[in-house]
Amino acid sequence: MKTVIGVKFRGVSKVYFFDPGELPIQAGDGVIVETSRGVEFGDVVQGPHEVEEGLIPPPLKTVERIATPADHEMRAQNISKEKGAYEICQQKIQERGLDMKLVNVEYSFNGSKVIFYFTADGRVDFRELVKDLAGIFKTRIELRQIGVRDEAKMLGGLGSCGRPVCCKTFLADFQPVSIKMAKEQSLSLSPTKISGICGRLMCCLKYEQDCYESMRKQMPKPGKEIYTPEGMAGTVVENNKKTKKTKVKMVLPDGSLDVREYPFRELSNQPQFPRMAEGQGETPAPEAQAEGETEGFLRPQGPAKREDGERAKPRRRRRGGQRAKREGGPKPAADKADAPDKQAPAKEKGKGKNRAKSEEMQP
């Protein structure tokens, strides 16, 4: 864990981490730090707190000092000079006839550099413009071409929702937004309704996209055959991801078509038993049980009931081997000497008949 502070710079909503060192820094203070653009004045929005080192983008720089009253005064002077620099640059752009739109001007903290931000449809040759500005301000001049989204982030404004634009208030980085997200959320595809003040798709389309994708995976696909709670089969027509309901087109018993809406969790891929109205029993009528049918779907029949109410046990055919196993194995064979000879009388009887016939045949 590492102790850091969160710092914001003017015109930027992203929070940057810095090492406070031994300085008694609190939220709301001004600090002087070293950045990629040089020495800058920043506002502390998060006091000292611990953060995992893996979440801190390197390199972690240390705060140089806490801002003094002289630093606050210098910052106010730089802001006041930016308006005059904007007018001068705008005039030079018109004189040179350059196809570019000036957006904003920023002075570095120590006044060693002036940055001009502009937008353009293509590349612009502004080398002569840089020479003119350097001769006027007697300092280092830098021109940066930005996109229309960065322009909206710098200037700010009100969105179609009536609130300040997200990129100016809290959005740190721009997320990719596509027209597929508007289709997924069943929004109007009119450019005037799904575009922000920058002319691009609204960043807020990304906020709920994960929820819509999750619901799309859970709900049945349009065109799929599904079974309703009433037990009737139908075809999915449309899914409403906001209300979590599905419209199903079905054929009623009288042959007419109807479209009904159900919570998608009550639909099933397999036939269901119909809901019973209040006051009715949980089992269908005896006629339906006897026939094994319920609303056109076959219902599995159980063992038949006897008159006394008990279920009759079905007969089973048992083989000799199975019966012997249940009775404890095959019976031991009796001793031949002790066991009576059951076949002897039959043999003797047969011998007597043959002897009588032979005696009759003799003269």
Side-chain angles (χ1 to χ4, degrees), residues 14-311:
K14 188 176 181 179
V15 178
Y16 296 88
F17 291 140
F18 288 90
D19 185 3
E22 301 296 333
L23 298 175
I25 301 175
Q26 299 179 357
D29 295 341
V31 292
I32 306 301
V33 295
E34 178 70 24
T35 65
S36 59
R37 300 191 301 177
V39 179
E40 292 290 341
F41 185 105
D43 297 314
V44 180
V45 294
Q46 297 176 359
H49 61 284
E50 293 185 349
V51 178
E52 296 182 3
E53 296 184 1
L55 302 177
I56 303 175
L60 180 64
K61 297 185 178 181
T62 306
V63 177
E64 293 187 0
R65 67 177 188 275
I66 300 177
T68 62
D71 296 331
H72 286 275
E73 184 179 356
M74 182 179 295
R75 183 188 190 186
Q77 292 178 359
N78 292 336
I79 294 174
S80 63
K81 292 189 295 184
E82 289 174 357
K83 184 177 181 181
Y86 183 91
E87 296 177 354
I88 294 174
C89 182
Q90 186 69 27
Q91 181 181 357
K92 292 298 181 180
I93 290 175
Q94 294 177 359
E95 292 178 359
R96 294 288 181 181
L98 299 176
D99 186 13
M100 55 189 293
K101 176 185 176 182
L102 186 62
V103 176
N104 196 13
V105 180
E106 285 186 7
Y107 268 83
S108 61
F109 173 70
N110 53 10
S112 62
K113 181 172 60 175
V114 184
I115 306 175
F116 296 87
Y117 298 95
F118 70 94
T119 59
D121 295 335
R123 299 187 63 179
V124 180
D125 185 5
F126 49 75
R127 290 176 292 180
E128 297 299 328
L129 177 63
V130 173
K131 294 179 181 178
D132 295 342
L133 297 176
I136 296 173
F137 296 103
K138 307 297 182 182
T139 185
R140 182 182 174 185
I141 303 298
E142 182 177 347
L143 272 76
R144 290 186 181 179
Q145 184 174 359
I146 60 176
V148 290
R149 282 191 168 185
D150 296 310
E151 178 185 2
K153 186 173 184 177
M154 285 186 175
L155 301 180
L158 296 177
S160 57
C161 58
R163 298 176 60 87
V165 290
C166 303
C167 55
K168 180 66 175 179
T169 53
F170 66 89
L171 198 62
D173 298 319
F174 292 110
Q175 299 293 331
V177 185
S178 63
I179 194 67
K180 181 181 178 181
M181 297 180 181
K183 295 180 180 179
E184 184 78 21
Q185 301 175 26
S186 302
L187 298 176
S188 174
L189 301 183
S190 175
T192 58
K193 294 184 179 181
I194 59 177
S195 300
I197 61 175
C198 60
R200 300 291 188 268
L201 293 174
M202 295 186 294
C203 298
C204 55
L205 294 177
K206 179 67 175 178
Y207 300 163
E208 301 178 0
Q209 181 62 20
D210 294 340
C211 296
Y212 278 90
E213 290 181 355
S214 177
M215 290 303 302
R216 177 174 55 82
K217 294 177 181 179
Q218 299 180 37
M219 302 181 78
K221 296 181 179 180
K224 183 179 180 181
E225 185 176 355
I226 208 75
Y227 292 91
T228 63
E230 289 83 0
M232 294 184 292
T235 305
V236 177
V237 178
E238 183 183 357
N239 291 320
N240 192 331
K241 302 178 182 64
K242 294 181 180 179
T243 60
K244 300 181 181 181
K245 292 184 178 181
T246 300
K247 289 184 178 180
V248 182
K249 182 176 67 174
M250 63 187 71
V251 180
L252 299 180
D254 59 357
S256 61
L257 293 176
D258 190 14
V259 178
R260 299 180 182 179
E261 193 174 33
Y262 302 92
F264 80 97
R265 299 187 186 280
E266 297 183 3
L267 303 175
S268 175
N269 296 329
Q270 301 294 332
Q272 307 179 63
F273 298 125
R275 294 178 175 176
M276 291 298 169
E278 296 182 0
Q280 296 183 0
E282 297 182 358
T283 57
E287 294 80 3
Q289 281 190 350
E291 297 177 2
E293 298 182 357
T294 302
E295 293 290 339
F297 297 106
L298 294 178
R299 183 172 183 176
Q301 298 183 7
K305 287 187 178 182
R306 298 188 304 184
E307 295 181 357
D308 55 359
E310 296 183 358
R311 293 185 180 274

